């Protein structure tokens, strides 16, 4: 549970480090007007100027509006609402760090306590863009240091963060409480050491799927001595050993700790000692879940089952990075209480899963490897009637591999887990019938991502394209906002998406389509589309130019290995205002005349950026 942003600071901090209050804002016109009504000119009470009254009322109302979309809508009503909304916004979300400059953002929003900032597009996770592409946090932290000395929280995703950035962050905000770095890079354990040593009020430090350089610095031991305010400590992505004695002491003096996710250098024996110290945890990442230590002859292993049983508040379980399945019975006592279980690093089979999953009646989120096979998914479907999110990842992502899950597992899930809202499913074979069944059995789907890893794979039974399956998804799932398509698809599938996918905000396409008409259908028919990701598909300049009317309403468009030319991309750049058109060349890619390998286009109030590397050409 994240801390309440309305929580009051200390009296000294309130005087020096709190944002400016505008509750006593008065209009100059009202302040300078003479008294009216008596005609005597005496300095009687002057009623507030009407606009001032409305703004004061609106400000008090907007303090209770937390939805970003609702706030954005309010800011568009008129200039007065625009101004007051900015004054009352305490959490700032920026979906693209190049969409607006730090200077412009801090000038408009002057009372921000929490910043959510995203950088590189998602394809950076798959090494499809240069490592030095950009998304530097440095300019942002310097601007915030001047504008928001009271800042408490920073959430970054796919940003480049240096050790110096972490030092600036720690030294500039005396009341800083939360740092979340998701898929970030550029920093190491020495930067973390300085950061944690200076942030004495730190409650959350979450390092999630980030690349952390091993500087051979024992960063865990740098946390200040004395009682810790830590509520969440996540470092399962840190690929270097940690000082376990320092970690155990930190956990012991953190009575508020609720989330703890350990890296693979923490053994199950060490996990036992941490659980004894912190039975109050609600979210636990187990680390390796194997004994890294060599047990002496006659040594008795700890009672892991009892340690798990003592964690009565545990609802979320993950980790299992180097699992020895013989230790899995230790988690049996907590299964009945789990709402989230992540086995995406655990290579377990069907028989090892069944004793666990049969007791997980409250499970709402389940991530797992396809090693559990269709039979394992059938077991999930038989028990987990409250399931809302399912992700099935491949052990072997090679398109020529044999996947042990298929349409059989998908259909079982659709029949047994009818409250499902989100699914990511990797497989090698699928049928239209199974996808159609899911569309009918799970009409509340918001996210449907089906990844058939073999390119252009048709219906495994009929040999037909997968058009009708995806068509059924967009027709029957009226709440759908995110869709990823794959397999053998013709323009007919994209016609379905354009006609029925009216709420789709994110669309991912790979190895699909017949012609430019497919993309034209989507750009014409999906008014809510915000993020469009396309790779290895036959769409060219004509399809790209058909979306001129829509691009400014989108956050970004990514196209790689399609049929674009530099001339077509140049036309887009000339025809659109406030859109940045980047042509990206990989490190080993030669200039290929007029052809374009990767196009990344996004809206920006600032125009072209100034930190683009040589591999990026801004048209």
């Amino acid at each position: 549970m994240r801390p309440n942003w309305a929580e009051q600071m200390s009296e000294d901090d309130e005087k020096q480090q709190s944002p400016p209050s505008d509750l006593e804002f008065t209009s100059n016109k009202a302040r300078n007007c003479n008294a009216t009504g008596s005609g005597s000119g005496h300095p009687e009470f002057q009623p507030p100027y009407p606009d001032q009254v409305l703004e004061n009322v609106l400000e008090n109302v907007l303090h209770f509006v937390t939805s970003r979309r609702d706030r954005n809508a309010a800011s568009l009503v008129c200039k007065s609402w625009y101004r007051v909304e900015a004054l009352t916004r305490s959490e700032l979300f920026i979906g693209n760090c190049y969409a607006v400059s730090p200077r412009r953002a801090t000038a408009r929003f002057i009372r921000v306590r929490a910043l959510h900032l995203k950088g590189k597009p998602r394809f950076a996770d798959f090494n499809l863009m240069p490592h030095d592409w950009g998304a530097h946090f440095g300019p942002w932290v310097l601007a915030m240091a001047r504008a928001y000395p009271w800042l408490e929280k920073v959430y970054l995703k796919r940003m480049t963060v240096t050790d110096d950035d972490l030092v600036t962050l720690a030294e500039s905000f005396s009341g800083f409480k939360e740092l979340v770095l998701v898929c970030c890079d550029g920093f190491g354990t020495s930067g973390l050491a300085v950061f944690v040593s200076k942030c004495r009020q730190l409650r959350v430090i979450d390092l999630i799927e980030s690349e952390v350089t091993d500087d051979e610095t024992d960063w865990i031991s740098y946390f200040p001595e004395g009682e810790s305010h830590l509520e969440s400590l996540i470092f399962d992505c840190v690929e270097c050993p940690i000082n376990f004695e320092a970690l155990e002491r930190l956990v012991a003096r953190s009575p508020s700790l609720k989330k703890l996710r350990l890296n693979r250098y923490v053994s199950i024996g060490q996990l036992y000692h941490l659980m004894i110290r912190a039975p109050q945890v609600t979210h636990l990442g187990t680390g390796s879940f194997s004994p890294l230590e060599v047990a002496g002859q006659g040594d008795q292993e700890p009672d892991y089952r009892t340690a798990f049983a003592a964690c009565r508040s545990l609802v979320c379980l993950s980790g299992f990075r180097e699992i020895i399945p013989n230790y899995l019975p230790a988690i049996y006592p907590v299964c009945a209480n789990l709402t989230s279980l992540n086995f995406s690093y655990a290579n377990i089979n069907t028989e090892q899963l069944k004793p666990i999953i049969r007791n997980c009646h409250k499970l709402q989120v389940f991530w797992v490897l396809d090693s559990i096979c269709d039979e394992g998914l059938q077991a999930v479907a038989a028990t987990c009637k409250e399931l809302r999110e399912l992700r099935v990842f491949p052990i072997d992502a090679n398109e020529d591999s044999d996947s042990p899950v298929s349409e059989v597992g998908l259909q079982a899930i659709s029949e047994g887990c009818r409250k499902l809202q989100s699914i990511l499913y990797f497989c090698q074979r699928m049928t239209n019938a199974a996808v159609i069944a899911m569309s009918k059995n799970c009409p509340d789907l918001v996210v449907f991502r089906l990844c058939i890893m073999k390119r252009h794979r048709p219906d495994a039974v009929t040999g037909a394209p997968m058009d009708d399956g995806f068509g059924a998804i967009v027709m029957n799932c009226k709440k759908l906002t995110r869709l990823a398509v794959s397999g053998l698809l013709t323009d007919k599938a994209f016609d379905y998406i354009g006609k029925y996918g009216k709420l789709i905000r994110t669309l991912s396409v790979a190895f699909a389509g017949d012609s430019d008409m497919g993309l034209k259908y989507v750009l014409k028919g999906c008014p809510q589309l915000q993020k469009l990701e396309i790779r290895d598909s036959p769409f060219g300049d004509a399809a790209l130019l058909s979306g001129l009317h829509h691009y400014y309403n989108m956050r970004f468009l990514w196209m790689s290995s399609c049929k674009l030319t530099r001339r077509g991309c140049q036309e887009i750049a000339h025809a659109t205002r406030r859109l940045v058109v980047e042509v990206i060349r990989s490190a080993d890619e030669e200039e290929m005349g007029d052809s374009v390998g990767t196009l990344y286009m996004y809206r920006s109030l600032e125009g072209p950026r100034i930190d683009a590397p040589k591999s990026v050409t801004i048209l």
Side-chain angles (χ1 to χ4, degrees):
M1 192 75 177
R2 295 290 189 257
N4 184 351
W5 294 115
E7 180 176 328
Q8 297 196 356
M9 305 170 70
S10 69
E11 184 174 341
D12 291 339
D13 287 342
E14 191 69 42
K15 293 176 182 178
Q16 299 175 12
Q17 298 289 326
S18 61
S21 173
D22 295 279
L23 293 176
E24 297 178 1
F25 169 82
T26 56
S27 166
N28 288 332
K29 290 183 180 181
R31 189 184 299 120
N32 296 329
C33 280
N34 290 328
T36 57
S38 66
S40 63
H42 293 294
E44 298 174 358
F45 169 74
Q46 171 61 42
Y49 190 67
D51 284 352
Q52 173 202 340
V53 174
L54 291 175
E55 289 193 2
N56 287 346
V57 172
L58 179 60
E59 184 170 352
N60 283 293
V61 171
L62 286 178
H63 276 299
F64 296 96
V65 179
T66 57
S67 165
R68 292 199 307 267
R69 292 183 188 175
D70 291 344
R71 280 190 159 273
N72 290 343
S75 71
L76 297 175
V77 172
C78 63
K79 289 184 178 179
S80 178
W81 283 53
Y82 175 90
R83 181 171 59 252
V84 175
E85 192 283 319
L87 290 174
T88 58
R89 189 177 293 215
S90 62
E91 294 203 25
L92 180 59
F93 174 87
I94 299 174
N96 179 355
C97 64
Y98 290 118
V100 63
S101 69
R103 176 193 55 80
R104 187 189 295 264
T106 55
R108 178 181 172 190
F109 303 102
I110 65 172
R111 300 168 67 182
V112 170
R113 289 184 178 272
L115 173 70
H116 296 246
L117 185 63
K118 295 186 177 182
K120 302 170 188 176
R122 191 176 65 93
F123 278 117
D125 297 346
F126 307 103
N127 298 317
L128 292 178
M129 63 190 310
H131 188 73
D132 62 348
W133 178 81
H136 302 288
F137 181 51
W140 285 93
V141 71
L142 292 175
M144 292 188 302
R146 293 188 294 268
Y148 310 137
W150 49 81
L151 192 75
E152 296 179 347
K153 176 181 178 180
V154 169
Y155 173 102
L156 304 178
K157 189 170 186 179
R158 299 191 184 95
M159 296 288 292
T160 296
V161 183
T162 67
D163 288 341
D164 288 341
D165 294 337
L166 293 177
V167 173
T168 303
L169 195 63
E171 293 179 344
S172 301
F173 310 106
S174 61
F176 195 80
K177 295 182 174 68
E178 298 193 22
L179 177 64
V180 180
L181 303 179
V182 180
C183 299
C184 293
D185 57 20
F187 64 98
T189 53
S190 57
L192 288 174
V194 176
F195 176 78
V196 300
S197 68
K198 293 180 178 292
C199 295
R200 306 193 69 86
Q201 297 186 45
L202 195 63
R203 294 180 178 176
V204 173
I205 178 163
D206 291 351
L207 310 174
I208 302 171
E209 296 183 34
S210 293
E211 296 180 17
V212 183
T213 304
D214 181 7
D215 301 325
E216 297 184 353
T217 302
D218 177 18
W219 67 282
I220 289 288
S221 66
Y222 278 76
F223 279 87
E225 293 296 331
E227 184 170 297
S228 167
H229 300 284
L230 270 182
E231 298 174 4
S232 178
L233 175 60
I234 296 176
F235 61 96
D236 50 354
C237 64
V238 180
E239 289 294 326
C240 59
I242 55 101
N243 182 334
F244 179 74
E245 289 73 19
L247 176 62
E248 187 175 16
R249 290 195 301 270
L250 176 61
V251 169
R253 65 177 189 271
S254 302
S256 300
L257 190 65
K258 299 296 183 182
K259 297 182 180 180
L260 178 63
R261 279 165 50 181
L262 310 165
N263 70 2
R264 66 186 182 90
Y265 292 92
V266 178
S267 69
I268 190 171
Q270 293 170 328
L271 172 67
Y272 170 83
H273 291 288
L274 294 176
M275 295 175 69
I276 296 298
R277 296 281 193 178
Q280 77 278 3
V281 293
T282 59
H283 296 62
L284 179 64
T286 65
S288 69
F289 216 67
S290 61
L292 302 181
E293 312 89 351
V294 178
Q297 187 173 4
D299 288 349
Q300 184 175 1
E301 282 199 290
D303 188 348
Y304 302 120
R305 189 165 184 150
T306 299
F308 273 97
C311 296
R312 295 184 177 87
S313 300
L314 193 62
V315 295
C316 179
L317 195 55
S318 62
F320 309 100
R321 287 179 175 257
E322 296 178 1
I323 186 172
I324 292 181
N326 290 342
Y327 289 97
L328 279 175
I331 72 171
Y332 290 174
V334 299
C335 288
N337 206 36
L338 291 179
T339 59
S340 177
L341 178 60
N342 185 345
F343 275 155
S344 61
Y345 289 96
N347 186 358
I348 60 175
N349 61 35
T350 305
E351 296 309 314
Q352 291 159 351
L353 173 70
K354 283 182 177 179
I356 296 170
I357 210 67
R358 69 164 60 108
N359 293 309
C360 296
H361 297 284
K362 296 182 180 179
L363 203 63
Q364 297 184 18
V365 177
F366 186 44
W367 294 13
V368 71
L369 290 174
D370 59 8
S371 58
I372 66 168
C373 304
D374 286 330
E375 187 180 352
L377 292 175
Q378 291 170 332
V380 173
T383 300
C384 306
K385 303 302 181 181
E386 299 299 317
L387 197 66
R388 302 298 198 276
E389 178 183 336
L390 173 67
R391 298 191 186 189
V392 181
F393 299 95
I395 286 184
D396 184 357
N398 192 306
E399 65 175 298
D400 295 324
S401 65
D402 293 326
S403 174
V405 298
S406 67
E407 73 276 5
V408 175
L410 187 77
Q411 180 139 358
I413 289 294
S414 75
E415 293 172 355
C417 308
R418 300 196 174 219
K419 296 181 180 180
L420 199 67
Q421 297 176 357
S422 175
I423 184 169
L424 169 61
Y425 196 88
F426 283 86
C427 61
Q428 288 286 15
R429 54 169 285 158
M430 186 50 59
T431 64
N432 281 303
V435 179
I436 292 170
M438 172 149 282
S439 76
K440 293 178 179 179
N441 294 329
C442 305
D444 291 332
L445 277 174
V446 177
V447 176
F448 183 78
R449 293 192 286 168
L450 176 60
C451 301
I452 305 173
M453 291 180 285
K454 180 72 173 179
R455 304 182 192 189
H456 312 296
R457 182 68 66 91
D459 185 305
V461 174
T462 67
M466 292 295 299
D467 298 338
D468 291 340
F470 285 103
I473 289 291
V474 292
M475 279 190 279
N476 297 328
C477 303
K478 306 297 185 183
K479 301 175 183 178
L480 196 72
T481 62
R482 184 172 184 179
L483 175 66
V485 300
S486 56
L488 179 61
L489 296 176
T490 70
D491 290 342
K492 180 182 177 182
F494 295 96
D495 188 21
Y496 282 134
I497 294 170
K499 283 182 179 178
Y500 301 104
K502 300 304 180 183
L503 296 183
I504 290 178
R505 297 174 61 84
T506 302
L507 176 63
S508 302
V509 180
F511 308 101
D514 286 333
S515 67
D516 287 340
M517 281 307 300
L519 183 54
K520 289 181 179 180
Y521 288 138
V522 170
L523 292 171
K524 180 180 179 181
C526 299
Q528 301 296 322
L529 193 62
Q530 289 285 299
K531 295 181 277 188
L532 179 56
E533 307 168 339
I534 305 172
R535 60 169 297 190
D536 297 276
S537 297
F539 306 135
D541 293 346
L544 179 67
L545 290 167
S546 71
L548 278 172
H549 66 288
H550 191 59
Y551 291 140
Y552 189 65
N553 295 322
M554 293 173 57
R555 186 183 298 175
F556 71 79
L557 166 67
W558 170 283
M559 296 181 69
S560 63
S561 301
C562 295
K563 294 184 177 181
L564 300 178
T565 68
R566 185 175 290 265
R567 179 179 299 177
C569 295
Q570 193 73 60
E571 284 189 53
I572 288 287
H574 283 307
T576 52
R577 295 181 66 246
R578 299 195 184 280
L579 282 179
V580 177
V581 180
E582 295 189 3
V583 174
I584 303 174
R585 188 178 68 256
S586 64
D588 57 351
E589 182 180 348
E590 300 290 336
E591 289 284 357
M592 299 178 62
D594 195 42
S595 65
V596 170
T598 298
L599 168 71
Y600 180 47
M601 183 167 62
Y602 53 90
R603 61 190 181 195
S604 174
L605 296 176
E606 309 302 330
R609 59 193 175 105
I610 61 174
D611 64 348
K614 292 181 180 180
S615 56
V616 174
T617 301
I618 300 180
L619 303 180

